[in-house]
Each structure stands twice: as structure tokens, then as C-alpha cells.
Amino acid sequence: MIETATSNQLPSGQQPAARILLVEDNEMNSDMLSRRLSKRGYHVDIAPDGKQGIQSAQQLQPDLILMDMSLPEIDGWEATRRLKCDPQTSRIPVIGLTAHAMAEDRERALSAGCDDYDTKPVDMNRLLQKIELMLGKSASVTEQRG
Amino acid sequence: MFSGIRRSIHRKLMSIIMLSAALALIMACSAFAVYEFITHRDSAARELEIIAQLVGESTAASLAFDDERSAADALHALSTESRIVAGCLYTRKGEVFASYGSAGPRACPKLTAQDRPLDENGYQTLFHQVRLDGGFVGTLYLRASLTGFWERARRYSLIATGILALTLLVVYLVSSRLQRLISGPILHLAATASQVSDDRNYALRAEKTVDDELGVLVDQFNEMMGTIEARNQDLLDAHNELERRVRERTVALEAEVAERRRVETDLLAAKQIAEASSLAKSRFLANMSHELRTPLNAVIGYAEMLREEAVVESRLADVRDLDRIHAAAKHLLTLINDILDISKIEAGKTVLNWETVEVVSLAREVVNTVEPMARERGNQLIIRGAGLDGTIRADLTKFRQSLLNLLSNACKFTENGEVSLEVTREYDGNQDWMLWKVRDTGIGIPKEQQHLLFQAFSQVDNSASRKYNGSGLGLAISQRFCQMMGGEIQVSSQVGQGSEFTVRMPAFAAEEELNEVQGKNR
């Protein structure tokens, strides 16, 4: 159910690979995105819909979630809302992804609890910047807490 | 009413004629009577004088000789004159010598110095000096009655009255016929006028029967009626004409109103259909754009991924092909995005997200983004301007998209030239503006095509958009975005010299935060 692509290339530094949960229903997109992220040293898990995305997040406790907003079963907005309500998963940063480029989509994503937002097709460099920013942020939060 | 006039005019005319006749007769008779009276009295007086002379001559000797008897006889001869009622003979000393009449000597008045003839009431008196051979011997007094005269006068007046009555009768008979000559035409005229005023029939005319002033009056009346009739007819014609025009105009207006209402309904229906279809089109385009982008994501993503691998493995031919796939997919994506943008704008669904942005960093960002494209065509890319300090308030995504559109256009249409982004500020007397000028030294745009630049679906030259990989919507979208943000894009260009696109954005909001930002920078 959960595919795992392992990294063969670590990001800068010798830290263990960050774990990213990609919630995406389009098989081609999830395959392509997970492979590209894996190449950059991330450990990527994939969930094909919102319901399984929530389960995976609870089980796997990823460092970051890439959430497609248009999903079957439970859509990305609802899934994000639930994740942010659950104390188990609320600290995990969520980057919303949508093919809609409308401003209201961005607002909607942020109000559902997404920490950031990007549009598809992804600009790999921009997405990587956002991922790094989120991971750095959450790491500092974790450190403060720890 | 007419009988009243008739009687009145008849009576008046008759009265006038009768009165005139009567007056004439009375005056004539009176004149005769007066003349007769005067003549009669004078002749009576003269007669009395003659009698006195005769009696005086016959009694002069008796007085001279004091013969009373012969004097009395002589006086008695007066009895032949019936009108003489008294006679007295006085001596030189004035004593009654003899008398005549029923009253005897008592009827004799006393002599005074006065001896003129006197007209008493109904009587004539006379004093006569009796002379003998030129010597005064006594005075004779005679008194005569005028009874015969009054008798005559009464007869005269009877005859005059008879003549008057007879004359008036004849006058009445004659004038009652003759007055019709005058009253006839007048009454006819009055009747005609009356009929006209009753029937409002201005075609009626009075009949002319005589050729005098009344005839002229009838003529003038008829002429007046003619004028009135003509004027009345004119009025009637004008009235009818007016009514006809009003009717025509009313019919025309009703038709016009109906036509307008129909057109309005048609227009409304057409508008609703157009709006509905526009909305449907926008929804369809938005959905289609979404559906198109999902597979395109995969194409672009896989192409990028494979290219990365090909680069690592140094398969240069693959890299070139993958670049082409990538470029084509990116172009397709641009088209789809443009169509989505313009359909959102036209559906009125575009929402602005205002942000405050540092001018310098935005300028650098957009220039960096188009840098590869500029380099590809051998263009120099320059940022300049005195307006780079401070911030601007805008919807960052849309403003950036507009600037990128202008810059990438400039790079596309220029080869081995210069593309610059200059930021300046301007005060137009009303408010502050921030001007973002994108200038190139490229092919330029013909004057007559410049106004078409910002219109969606009506490109300057479709072949250009094909050749230069654009949708042709970029400028239209950018213009609408800038207008929504209170600004606009202006163009000035000369063929062969290059183009300059100026984005004018209100700078008032930026000024407020200028100091703050400058403080931070220090």
C-alpha cells in the first residue's frame, strides 16, 4: 500500500534522510515526483487518497507532507484539517499542492491548515526551497521543544 | 325675437314718419293760424279807425255847436257795426258829451293823457281826436268785441285737425308700404345673422335687393361672411390637418414604442444568452484548464527527470530532445494558463491579494527570471532607475506576471540588443505614480497596430504569436491586471527602433512605508 523510495543521495550535511509523505492520487504524478525527490535524498512515502494519507501520517510520522488538494475519498483540505486537529500529526508541516492557480485556492489551502502552498506543475527548485524551509522550521521547533 | 325687432323697427320707422308728418302739418297750420290772427286783428283795428274817423267827422260839428242830439244820432249809427259794443264822445274838457251802447255813459272810461288803442281781453279799444277845420273839439272812444275772430279761429283749428287726421291716415297707409324698402333689407340681414349665429353656418349669405347704403351693408356683410367662412375653413383645415398629424404621429410612436420594446426584449434575451454562454465558457475553460494541466504536469515532470538523468549520463542528443519536449510542454502550459487567466478576468472572478513588496527585490527577481531568455538571444539585460528604493503595494503574483510578460516579450522580439527595466517616480499634479518601463531595441510595433496590443483574441499578428511561442493573451491579461490594481500599461514604439512599455502604478501606498523600509535598510 505504501511505496517507499529510498534515497541514494543525501541532502547537504550528514543528517538522516528526511521523510516526506506524498499524498497524490494521480499515479504518474506521484511516481514522477517521488522519484525526483528521492534522487535529491528524501525518503518518500506515497498515499493515493486523503483517507490513507491520514493513516500513513499517523503511522509513519513523516517530517513533511506534500498534500494534493484534489483527492478522492477525503479531499486535501479536509485531510489537512483533520491532521492539524490530531495532536499526533498537528506538528507535521503540510505543503498544499493544487493545479488551480487561483488566489482563492491558496487562501483556502492556508485556512485549511497548510503551512505553505504550491501549484502544479511543480517548479522543482521552488518546491525544494519550500521543503527545505519547512524542514528547517519544524526542526527548530522540535529542537526548542526538545 | 325677430318679431320683436320687426315690430320695433316697423314701429320706429312708422313713428318717425308719422311724427314728421304731424309736426310738419302742425307747424304749417300754426303758421297759417298766427298769420290769419295777426292779419285779422290788424284789419279790425284799421276798420275801427276808419269807423272812428267817419263818426268823428260826422260828430265834429255837433261838438262844436254843442248839439247833443245830433251827436247821439251820429253815435247811434254805430249800431250797424255789430262788433262795436260801446262808443263815447267827450268834449274838449273831457266830459262825456254823448254815448252809445247798452251800458250807457257808465261804460265810458275817464279820459287821461293816454289815448292809444288798447287790446283788452277779447276787446279792441280806440281813442280818436275829433277835429274841425284843424281845431281840436273833442275825443271819440270806441270799444269793439273780437268775438268773430275767435269763432273763426275755432273753425280754422277744426279744419286743421281734420286735415291733420286725414293726412296722417294717408301717410300711415303710404309709409306702411314704403318703410319696407328700408326695414326689409335690415330685417333680412338681421334674420340671416341670427341664423348664422344659431346654425354656425358661415356659408349663408344675405340677399341684396336694393342698391343703396343698405345694399352696401348687405354686400359688406356678405364679404365679412366670406372672410369668416374662409378663415373658418382654414381653421377647420388646420384643425383637421393637426388631428391627422397627431393621429399619424401617435400611430408612428406606438409602432416605435412597440418596436423598441421588442428590440429591448430581444436585446435582454440576447444579453442573458450571451452572459450565460460567457459564464458557461469561463467555467468550461477553467475546468478544461485543470484537466489539461494534470497530464501536462506528468509530461513536464518526466521530461525534467529524464533530462536530469541524461545530463548525468552525458547523453547529449537525449538532452536536446528532452529540452524540446519540455519547451513544448511549457508552451502548452503557458497557453492554458493564459486562457484560464483571461476567462477568469472575463467572468469577473479575479481576486486581488494586496501585498507590500520591496521594489528592488521584485525588479531583481523578474530580471533574473528572464535572464536565461535574454542571454539565449544575445541581449543585454539592465536594471536602472531612481525609483528602486522603497516598496510598492500590489497583488504580487499578478504584478510579477505582468512584468515578466513585458520583459519576456522584450527579450523575444529583440536580438543582440538591449532590454532594460527602469523604475522611476512621477507626480502628475494629483497623485504619485511609480513607472516601470520595459524598453527594448527590438523590431518595434507599427503605430496602427499598437491599439490592438491589449485586446484579447485580436492579436497584432497571429503569425508573431506562433513564431514567438505566445498565446497572444499575455498583454491583454497584464493590462487587465494592472488596471484592476489602479494602474495601466502604455506603449510607445517605432518600427525598427524598439518598444517601450510603461506600467503606471499608483505609488501612494508605497510612500507610506518608504521611511520604514529605509530605516530597516540602515
Side-chain angles (χ1 to χ4, degrees):
Chain A
M1 187 197 279
I2 298 167
E3 288 176 39
T4 303
T6 35
S7 57
N8 48 15
Q9 200 182 344
L10 286 171
S12 58
Q14 273 73 46
Q15 289 167 338
R19 200 174 185 129
I20 296 175
L21 174 63
L22 173 62
V23 189
E24 164 69 82
D25 63 322
N26 185 289
E27 200 263 330
M28 273 204 295
N29 276 338
S30 62
D31 174 63
M32 180 266 295
L33 199 53
S34 65
R35 280 165 69 182
R36 296 182 77 185
L37 287 171
S38 297
K39 269 186 197 157
R40 284 172 170 80
Y42 296 104
H43 183 93
V44 184
D45 298 302
I46 297 168
D49 62 51
K51 204 172 169 186
Q52 291 182 43
I54 294 168
Q55 282 172 9
S56 302
Q58 285 165 344
Q59 284 168 20
L60 301 170
Q61 291 291 312
D63 297 305
L64 183 128
I65 300 170
L66 288 176
M67 179 76 77
D68 181 25
M69 302 316 262
S70 312
L71 291 170
E73 298 285 330
I74 298 174
D75 68 22
W77 293 284
E78 182 55 30
T80 305
R81 218 169 282 126
R82 289 192 193 179
L83 286 170
K84 290 294 176 184
C85 287
D86 186 345
Q88 263 191 293
T89 53
S90 63
R91 56 154 199 95
I92 308 172
V94 178
I95 297 178
L97 293 176
T98 175
H100 296 272
M102 293 189 182
E104 54 264 38
D105 289 331
R106 181 171 173 272
E107 297 299 318
R108 224 178 130 199
L110 294 180
S111 71
C114 290
D115 297 84
D116 207 339
Y117 166 89
D118 213 337
T119 54
K120 297 196 294 185
V122 290
D123 178 325
M124 207 57 201
N125 289 328
R126 196 173 64 202
L127 182 62
L128 285 170
Q129 273 175 18
K130 288 185 175 175
I131 288 170
E132 284 300 310
L133 190 70
M134 282 295 140
L135 288 175
K137 256 194 204 169
S138 72
S140 67
V141 170
T142 315
E143 272 164 29
Q144 277 169 7
R145 276 187 191 165
Chain B
M1 184 178 170
F2 302 131
S3 59
I5 291 174
R6 183 184 297 265
R7 217 175 293 139
S8 163
I9 283 195
H10 270 294
R11 192 180 291 162
K12 275 178 189 163
L13 271 172
M14 292 296 288
S15 304
I16 288 165
I17 293 165
M18 300 285 280
L19 199 65
S20 304
L23 263 173
L25 268 176
I26 287 167
M27 280 179 77
C29 289
S30 303
F32 276 119
V34 168
Y35 175 73
E36 187 63 27
F37 171 71
I38 291 168
T39 313
H40 180 72
R41 198 190 57 184
D42 285 356
S43 66
R46 225 175 292 126
E47 205 179 78
L48 202 59
E49 261 173 45
I50 291 166
I51 292 168
Q53 213 161 346
L54 285 173
V55 173
E57 277 172 17
S58 62
T59 55
S62 310
L63 271 173
F65 298 105
D66 208 18
D67 183 357
E68 282 180 42
R69 192 173 161 89
S70 61
D73 285 347
L75 280 181
H76 195 68
L78 290 172
S79 60
T80 53
E81 279 296 323
S82 60
R83 50 188 286 257
I84 294 171
V85 293
C88 297
L89 194 61
Y90 300 87
T91 62
R92 267 168 65 183
K93 292 167 185 167
E95 293 154 354
V96 177
F97 184 66
S99 65
Y100 163 78
S102 51
R106 278 169 300 151
C108 297
K110 280 200 169 165
L111 275 184
T112 59
Q114 210 244 76
D115 59 353
R116 288 190 297 110
L118 282 173
D119 277 342
E120 289 170 32
N121 195 17
Y123 295 92
Q124 269 184 330
T125 57
L126 178 80
F127 292 91
H128 179 74
Q129 290 183 343
V130 184
R131 288 170 188 277
L132 185 67
D133 300 331
F136 176 71
V137 286
T139 304
L140 179 65
Y141 165 75
L142 288 178
R143 180 179 165 88
S145 143
L146 281 173
T147 340
F149 168 77
W150 290 117
E151 191 75 18
R152 226 173 132 125
R154 208 161 40 247
R155 226 164 35 240
Y156 259 79
S157 52
L158 269 174
I159 292 164
T161 308
I163 289 170
L164 191 63
L166 191 68
T167 308
L168 284 179
L169 182 67
V170 173
V171 162
Y172 177 81
L173 290 174
V174 171
S175 69
S176 66
R177 286 190 175 277
L178 288 182
Q179 56 89 25
R180 284 187 199 142
L181 283 176
I182 292 168
S183 70
I186 292 175
L187 289 172
H188 173 64
L189 204 59
T192 308
S194 216
Q195 205 181 336
V196 166
S197 81
D198 277 5
D199 300 353
R200 305 266 164 224
N201 181 4
Y202 300 104
L204 284 175
R205 293 289 180 276
E207 200 185 327
K208 189 182 173 184
T209 49
V210 286
D211 213 9
D212 53 6
E213 288 90 336
L214 282 172
V216 172
L217 186 62
V218 168
D219 277 344
Q220 284 173 347
F221 174 82
N222 285 341
E223 203 180 306
M224 187 179 77
M225 287 306 295
T227 309
I228 290 174
E229 191 187 9
R231 202 162 294 174
N232 201 45
Q233 191 57 46
D234 286 351
L235 270 176
L236 207 66
D237 288 350
H239 181 251
N240 288 340
E241 174 66 12
L242 206 64
E243 262 188 354
R244 192 184 58 77
R245 276 199 215 156
V246 165
R247 253 197 317 277
E248 273 177 19
R249 191 77 193 112
T250 307
V251 169
L253 275 176
E254 274 166 2
E256 210 169 296
V257 165
E259 174 66 15
R260 278 199 192 163
R261 228 172 255 156
R262 201 180 56 72
V263 167
E264 206 172 283
T265 315
D266 288 357
L267 277 177
L268 208 67
K271 188 178 167 243
Q272 280 165 351
I273 290 167
E275 277 171 0
S277 73
S278 171
L279 203 68
K281 185 193 82 185
S282 297
R283 275 203 204 113
F284 172 76
L285 286 173
N287 290 336
M288 277 309 289
S289 299
H290 175 67
E291 297 305 322
L292 289 168
R293 267 198 283 197
T294 306
L296 206 51
N297 284 341
V299 174
I300 291 169
Y302 277 108
E304 283 177 1
M305 192 182 78
L306 288 173
R307 187 186 182 278
E308 282 162 20
E309 286 172 3
V311 167
V312 169
E313 292 164 20
S314 298
R315 286 180 277 118
L316 294 179
D318 286 349
V319 170
R320 202 190 60 210
D321 290 346
L322 288 164
D323 275 344
R324 283 184 175 161
I325 294 172
H326 187 256
K330 278 281 195 184
H331 180 210
L332 188 54
L333 189 66
T334 313
L335 295 179
I336 291 165
N337 283 339
D338 283 355
I339 289 168
L340 182 62
D341 278 338
I342 205 84
S343 63
K344 271 192 295 184
I345 288 169
E346 289 187 350
K349 286 193 171 167
T350 313
V351 179
L352 294 178
N353 286 289
W354 291 96
E355 282 179 73
T356 303
V357 194
E358 271 190 70
V359 173
V360 169
S361 55
L362 178 60
R364 280 191 193 133
E365 187 199 325
V366 291
V367 165
N368 286 340
T369 309
V370 293
E371 177 74 47
M373 202 196 281
R375 216 182 311 125
E376 202 178 293
R377 292 183 171 270
N379 293 323
Q380 245 196 311
L381 197 52
I382 301 165
I383 301 181
R384 62 162 85 91
L388 285 164
D389 285 335
T391 58
I392 182 166
R393 208 166 153 69
D395 181 310
L396 182 56
T397 314
K398 294 184 177 64
F399 189 53
R400 187 200 284 128
Q401 187 178 328
S402 303
L403 289 175
L404 281 174
N405 178 255
L406 295 178
L407 280 167
S408 59
N409 280 346
C411 291
K412 266 186 223 167
F413 296 106
T414 310
E415 258 177 291
N416 301 319
E418 187 188 284
V419 173
S420 66
L421 173 64
E422 184 182 353
V423 185
T424 58
R425 285 159 195 270
E426 187 187 277
Y427 180 68
D428 67 357
N430 209 6
Q431 72 171 91
D432 283 307
W433 294 92
M434 189 177 277
L435 309 184
W436 298 65
K437 290 182 180 171
V438 176
R439 202 176 291 136
D440 66 55
T441 55
I443 57 173
I445 307 150
K447 199 110 202 156
E448 65 274 12
Q449 295 182 354
Q450 287 177 10
H451 70 282
L452 294 168
L453 283 173
F454 300 105
Q455 291 178 16
F457 308 112
S458 133
Q459 289 73 18
V460 167
D461 183 356
N462 282 322
S463 65
S465 65
R466 277 197 295 279
K467 185 180 168 191
Y468 293 99
N469 278 352
S471 65
L473 293 172
L475 279 174
I477 293 164
S478 301
Q479 178 70 288
R480 309 277 173 88
F481 279 169
C482 289
Q483 283 169 349
M484 286 170 81
M485 289 184 275
E488 64 167 338
I489 303 177
Q490 294 164 338
V491 63
S492 74
S493 178
Q494 262 191 307
V495 175
Q497 301 285 304
S499 308
E500 184 186 272
F501 286 82
T502 305
V503 184
R504 287 171 68 86
M505 288 287 287
F508 51 89
E511 290 302 319
E512 286 169 25
E513 289 165 55
L514 184 61
N515 296 333
E516 194 193 326
V517 172
Q518 278 173 342
K520 256 192 218 166
N521 287 349
R522 257 171 241 140

